[in-house]
Amino acid sequence: MEAFTVHTGRAVPLRRSNVDTDQIIPAHWLKKVTRDGYEDGLFEAWRKDPSFVLNQEEYRGATVLVAGPDFGTGSSREHAAWALQNYGFKAVISSRFADIFRGNSLKNGLLTVVLDQDVVERLQALAEADPAAEVTVDLERRQVRATVAGAEQLTADFDLDENARWRLLNGLDDISLTLQNESDIAAYEATRPSFKPRTIAA
Amino acid sequence: MGRTLAEKVWDDHVVRRADGEPDLLFIDLHLLHEVTSPQAFDGLRLSDRKVRRLDLTIATEDHNTPTLDIDKPIADPVSRAQLETLRKNCAEFGVRLHPLGDVEQGVVHVVGPQLGLTQPGTTVVCGDSHTSTHGAFGALAFGIGTSQVEHVLATQTLPMARPRTMAVTVEGELPDDVTAKDLILAVIAKIGTGGGQGYIIEYRGSAVEKLSMEARMTICNMSIEAGARAGMIAPDETTFAYLKGRAHAPEGEEWDRAVEYWRTLRTDDDAVFDAEVFIDAADLAPFVTWGTNPGQGAPLSERVPDPASYDDASQRHAAEKALEYMGLTAGQALRDIRVDTVFVGSCTNGRIEDLRSAAAVLEGRKVADGVRMLVVPGSVRVALQAVEEGLDKVFTGSGAEWRHAGCSMCLGMNPDQLAPGERSASTSNRNFEGRQGKGGRTHLVSPQVAAATAVLGHLASPADLSDADRTPAGAR
């Protein structure tokens, strides 16, 4: 996983609540067997509408998505996180994320930042008023800062548990970390009751 | 202090607990399907790892599989390639697979329970959000992403932060024609699609205890639609009776030891939930969705709500968008909504009891002109049972299409899709925009409502049908 420390980029305001992972990447894209090449499927249905925010020239190249509440609900498809990354997003800001989407994103180094809904709306308003506004997502300081023409307009702190932050800052691979405790797994396995189900004879 | 059911199962699976780290949980059963596993197997190959516990891993094919002409090569080359990838991966790593055409093939969440692999007090994961289904057995079961699929394949564990617990207590008797599906749709409408975020829900109370295993699965299945990764129901005699004699259920002394343990899996009287919701079963009615998320639902007897009636700006905006997408008008009676397609199936309502309920309504009646009805059994075993009971003949005799097992129109990854603008009454779990096909409009319903809707051509419950429209049994 790529490490995430501090990222600065322009922001896209997505004023919709309950954006489910079927909207982020429709099911027909899930037939692919790779982790890349999903950028054209991102918000596919909405992108057919010329007025959709991602189709606006001034938001081209923006890297921070500022979304409505309950972002990423529904299906567990990790393709949703991949599609956002493939398109170029580095961070998503919302007041509430669905649990599975949030976990998938963090495992891929796509930082999901939870801020109060009023702060999210102020960020959306800033990005709407000036699409050139820059948003900095600073994982080291757990802080989001927005600047317009070099002047700081908004600063907000966010929470992220220390373990997740440490893994992101260092770009650590979860499986390698777990396998450092292989002896704990083996010890647990030795104590499992024999009545537990098996799919095949061991 | 006492512990909840969820806490007991969690505690029994902690491999490692350390300050400042998520708990490392052991996974008893890992279910795989073709859509969310290819990149995980690639990851194993890249790091030269193998599957740690082949004896706790099983795969089937469901999302992409066609429901017609299953003896012919799959027409869509991309779907075919994905299924072939699963077959190749399972062969290379040694994973047990039930492919299309196998008697144990079916929707992964139907297959696990019917094989007896889903057992009380186990941890079950799958790269699919409806893994919550298995919680009906008192298992801790949740959907995971592909990175976690790789993690479980390699280590048989997952690092997880412990969720909070929520009790949804339903007391009393469910009225006639009110099913588990109506109950869970009402719960989601009450707490919202984000209401369960960060929680494991335990469904309890006298109305839940009276439900069959299949009805319990319907409820736990849709926990994710309320935002909860997992839903659970304490195991009881109904659970044990369902499991006894199944292919992978324990036998003899092992059975006795298992049941002894399973009986301990109940929330202690002095345990405290982090949140509680109470529902009176008698207040429930057949429930349908009108919008584009599963929380946008109402009793069938009501009208499409006016977005202006919502105080919350974001809910108001969501309702406006939903009505626009769904082509509905505020104030329109839900019963007046006409449909083009009726879908009975999915991991929510594709089991034998669901098919029996739909068939009982359809028997001697005809699907309305201009309405297409698809009946897709959740597994090959369910299909065989239905054929043995003659249900397939009831469906085809009514003008419905009887198909092969799979996920089918629940998510339209195979050819079973809605055309743009088409409207369905569907026993599946998600009414998201485009879920059943680009531009398709979905109303979530119970199998009974689906069948009555098929007969009348508009959203309806069995109570809306008269016996006069049934052809007498002798004249069929």
Side-chain angles (χ1 to χ4, degrees), chain A residues 15-186:
Chain A
R15 286 197 188 257
R16 275 180 181 255
S17 62
N18 263 294
V19 173
D20 56 76
T21 54
D22 274 78
Q23 304 317 312
I24 300 173
I25 185 85
H28 71 95
W29 284 88
L30 275 51
K31 298 176 187 179
K32 285 163 56 66
V33 295
T34 59
R35 281 176 180 257
D36 49 25
Y38 295 96
E39 56 276 11
D40 291 340
L42 180 70
F43 301 124
E44 186 181 47
W46 296 340
R47 273 165 74 187
K48 296 205 165 69
D49 172 4
S51 70
F52 181 58
V53 66
L54 282 194
N55 291 330
Q56 307 308 305
E57 188 58 37
E58 57 270 34
Y59 293 110
R60 192 176 294 270
T63 52
V64 179
L65 185 67
V66 189
D70 294 313
F71 188 81
T73 55
S75 157
S76 63
R77 57 189 71 169
E78 196 159 315
H79 312 67
W82 301 334
L84 287 159
Q85 287 186 308
N86 292 168
Y87 185 86
F89 286 111
K90 304 289 184 197
V92 186
I93 298 173
S94 170
S95 60
R96 291 154 64 95
F97 289 98
D99 293 336
I100 303 179
F101 172 78
R102 184 151 205 244
N104 287 342
S105 297
L106 295 177
K107 292 216 182 296
N108 285 276
L110 175 70
L111 186 58
T112 49
V113 175
V114 178
L115 294 176
D116 287 344
Q117 182 59 22
D118 63 313
V119 180
V120 173
E121 285 174 21
R122 279 167 58 207
L123 275 171
Q124 289 174 331
L126 277 175
E128 280 161 356
D130 183 359
E134 293 210 312
V135 173
T136 296
V137 180
D138 183 341
L139 183 58
E140 285 175 339
R141 292 167 65 183
R142 289 186 198 154
Q143 196 174 65
V144 170
R145 297 181 293 276
T147 56
V148 173
E152 196 149 305
Q153 301 288 319
L154 180 154
T155 303
D157 294 332
F158 64 88
D159 279 335
L160 184 70
D161 77 79
E162 187 47 44
N163 188 266
R165 177 172 170 266
W166 167 72
R167 284 185 284 118
L168 279 164
L169 286 174
N170 296 289
L172 296 174
D173 162 29
D174 272 1
I175 297 178
S176 303
L177 288 176
T178 294
L179 288 175
Q180 287 172 11
N181 300 309
E182 204 277 333
S183 59
D184 291 332
I185 303 173

Side-chain angles (χ1 to χ4, degrees), chain A residues 31 78 188 192 198-199, chain B residues 12 28 55 76 96 146-147:
Chain A
K31 298 176 187 179
E78 196 159 315
Y188 181 91
R192 289 179 78 233
R198 288 173 191 277
T199 57
Chain B
D12 282 353
D28 288 319
D55 60 329
D76 178 349
R96 172 177 166 186
T146 297
S147 294

Side-chain angles (χ1 to χ4, degrees), chain B residues 16 23 90 110 120 130 161 238 244 291 307 314 338 375 435 442:
Chain B
R16 173 186 160 85
D23 284 350
C90 288
V110 178
H130 291 111
T238 304
K244 182 98 186 163
S314 123
R338 302 199 69 83
V375 182
R435 169 81 177 180
T442 304

